[in-house]
Structures are given as C-alpha cells and as structure tokens.
Amino acid sequence: MNRPAKARIRHSFERAAPTYDAAAVVQRRVCALLAAGLPADLGANRVLDSGCGTGFAQPLLQQRFPAAHAIALDFAPAMLQRVGTPCCRLAGDLEHLPLAAASIDLYWSSLAVQWCDLPGALAEARRVLTNGGALAIASLGPATFHELRTAFAGIDAHRHTLSFHTPEEFRRLATAAGFVAVDVQKHTEIEHYADFKSLLRAVKAIGANQLGDGRRSSLLSRNAFQRAEEVAEALRTADGLPLTYDVITLNARK
C-alpha cells in the first residue's frame, strides 16, 4: 500500500503534538477498547506501547500491569516529550524497533500501524516478543473517513484519505507473520463536528492529514471547497457532521 514518506509523517506528528491531546477524543476511546480486549489472564513483565503518541495509553497499561517495565516508543520526539506518565521513553520506528529479540511480553499499538508497512511492523512485533508473548493492535479499516472521500469525490481525482487494510488482510498478514490465536474484530467510532472546517481542523490536529502520493499539493479554490462543504452538510445528523473511524483490533500470540 502507498504510504507517505516517513519524514513527512514525523513532521506532521511533530507539528500536531501541541494540539493532539485536545483533539484525540476517538483515540482515547480506542485505547480503552483495546485495553478491554486484553485477555483476563495475561501477565507481562515488559510492556511496549508502540507508536505511543502523547502516552495516554500509559495509565491504562500501568494500572493493568503495575509491576511491568513500561516502554513508550514513538517516531516523533515532540510526542514523546509530552508523555507525562513515568516510563522509559524511546524514539524509534515501528518497522525497525530499537529493541532486542524476545525482549517484550506485550506489544501494544493503538492507531499507529496504519502509517506503516503492515507486514514489516508485524514482523518486528513478533521479533521482539517473547515466546507466548501477546500482541494487541488497534488500527483503521477502509470505511475510515469515508465522509471525506464522499465530500471530495466530485471535486478532483486526488486522494483525501489513506488506504487502509481490511480485517481479512489483518488476519491473513498476522497469520503469515507467524502469530497464532489470531483474533480480529471490527468496531465503529463516530465523532461529530459543528461544521466542515472544524472537522478538517480536527483531522489536522491529530496529524492525520498526510496521504502520500496522489494527494492534492495545492489549495482548493473557494468554489471547490464550498461544493465539498455542501456534500458534507448533506451527511449532517442531529449530532453534527459525522467522521467515521472504522476500527480494527488484532489480538494474537507469538
């Protein structure tokens, strides 16, 4: 799948760091969802939060595994600087983890692997996990931000969202990577906004506006923006303009 250049992804999240926590409402709900899906009997001495962002999964993980050595890893140093919960903070790439083989008991990653080459990220996750170690990933599926695709469909031929893997692809790739007890679930989270500009600002505020090749490289004309806004307004509900997160969770064992 086509992905933005890593330098551009890092730059986007570096810029988003100051606004991320205020805008990441759905991201918090997804963390809670992923935590609720962890096996009740799971024990872990070393826990990796891979693609930790500003670290709001850390309280959940440390409450669940209070004696574990907690590692928060992210590609963007500005995000790591905002991790408030005491832990080991580590700058690194999910496709090239700066960790020894078989050094982690729980690999956790919430809404980060969609920015990666998924087979590469899964291979690295399996490499660093101990035998019997647990994998818990939340990512996004193809229906994510479908409202944006609808709004811009008649405006131009450019891409306005990332391409996302299906649940079936997650299951197949996890199995191909060597994971067992693979469990893939699908959930829908919808956030609502007062208007189209607020919706677009929220996407930018969480750093999710990098699209890779095929993106628009120039500003929309006022007329084109108004046309997209009109289409988006047709989707309005009593709660506001919707923005869908097609959440996929993956739990497995090495």
Side-chain angles (χ1 to χ4, degrees), residues 124-195:
E124 274 293 89
R126 191 176 187 281
R127 181 185 67 81
V128 301
L129 277 170
T130 55
N131 288 333
L135 177 79
I137 288 176
S139 189
L140 297 173
T144 297
F145 295 176
H146 69 82
E147 297 89 350
L148 284 180
R149 290 193 294 277
T150 297
F152 288 106
I155 305 301
D156 57 34
H158 295 287
R159 296 173 62 233
H160 291 275
T161 69
L162 286 174
S163 299
F164 299 103
H165 287 285
T166 66
E168 293 74 20
E169 288 170 337
F170 267 90
R171 187 176 294 107
R172 176 176 57 80
L173 290 171
T175 301
F179 286 99
V180 298
V182 174
D183 179 49
V184 177
Q185 301 291 330
K186 187 175 180 295
H187 313 264
T188 300
E189 294 283 344
I190 302 176
E191 189 65 5
H192 294 87
Y193 299 93
D195 52 53

Side-chain angles (χ1 to χ4, degrees), residues 3-4 9 13 95 111-117 162 207-210:
R3 288 288 178 265
I9 296 172
F13 282 102
E95 296 173 40
L111 299 187
V113 299
Q114 67 269 16
W115 298 103
C116 303
D117 171 67
L162 286 174
N209 58 326
Q210 291 299 320

Side-chain angles (χ1 to χ4, degrees), residues 38-39 41-48 65 101-108 122 124-137 174 177-182 250-254:
L38 292 173
D41 61 348
L42 179 63
N45 295 319
R46 291 156 295 181
V47 175
L48 173 64
F65 307 103
S103 62
I104 298 295
D105 300 307
L106 169 61
Y107 177 101
W108 161 289
L122 288 172
E124 274 293 89
R126 191 176 187 281
R127 181 185 67 81
V128 301
L129 277 170
T130 55
N131 288 333
L135 177 79
I137 288 176
F179 286 99
V180 298
V182 174
L250 165 64
N251 286 274
R253 296 276 188 156
K254 178 176 175 179

